[in-house]
Amino acid sequence: MRKLEIRGSLKDLLAGAIFIAFGLFFAIGALQYNIGTPLRMGPGYMPLVLGGMMIALGAAIVVNGFLTGEPEPVGGIAVRPIVFIVTAFIFFGLTIRGLGVVPSLFVTTLIAALARERTSPQGALVIAIGLTLVSVVVFIELLHLRLQLWGPWLPF
């Protein structure tokens, strides 16, 4: 009898499984809300769509890992990116109402950009400024979301 051997990139298989798990979490959570239609989106519409996209992306990564990946050892856990990204999320959640969208998003993006060791402080600033400007244009100007640009914690 032959032994079953999984040939593929373990990194791709694990990454795909994580994407699928998060996608399922968001999609199932979205079903608790009104979904609506593409023209009249309910609060559950975007989490459902994004969850479905994450599931599809995860499945594609898993298939790619089986088809093209070669077995390779999984390295150690990179602590710096985990700490910076988690810190960025926590900062954003704690300051969005007090600081407003612009400063909160700017600092969050700056922290997240510095998660990568090869990103220079100047590069992180460019990323933070660019993403903040694009987000304000898309969410405030184009989508007309009623978000406070500057919060009550700021004196101006």
Side-chain angles (χ1 to χ4, degrees):
M1 203 190 266
R2 291 182 68 191
K3 204 176 183 184
L4 179 63
E5 185 177 302
I6 297 177
R7 300 201 64 102
S9 171
L10 183 60
K11 290 179 182 179
D12 285 346
L13 299 176
L14 291 174
I18 290 170
F19 271 91
I20 291 170
F22 275 109
L24 283 171
F25 175 77
F26 281 103
I28 291 169
L31 296 176
Q32 303 298 319
Y33 299 100
N34 179 22
I35 304 299
T37 66
L39 295 177
R40 202 99 158 118
M41 296 178 203
Y45 187 84
M46 284 307 294
L48 182 64
V49 169
L50 292 175
M53 290 171 60
M54 288 181 76
I55 293 168
L57 180 61
I61 292 171
V62 168
V63 168
N64 185 50
F66 274 122
L67 297 178
T68 62
E70 294 192 17
E72 58 188 67
V74 176
I77 295 174
V79 176
R80 178 187 172 116
I82 293 171
V83 169
F84 274 72
I85 298 299
V86 169
T87 302
F89 275 117
I90 291 171
F91 177 83
F92 186 78
L94 293 176
T95 63
I96 185 68
R97 289 190 178 173
L99 290 177
V101 170
V102 173
S104 196
L105 184 61
F106 175 78
V107 174
T108 299
T109 307
L110 189 63
I111 294 168
L114 291 171
R116 184 171 179 241
E117 291 180 13
R118 290 185 282 179
T119 302
S120 68
Q122 295 85 2
L125 274 172
V126 169
I127 292 168
I129 291 168
L131 187 59
T132 302
L133 289 174
V134 168
S135 296
V136 168
V137 168
V138 169
F139 294 110
I140 307 294
E141 299 298 324
L142 298 177
L143 295 175
H144 302 291
L145 295 181
R146 295 181 185 176
L147 301 173
Q148 195 171 10
L149 292 178
W150 307 98
W153 294 353
L154 300 174
F156 50 88

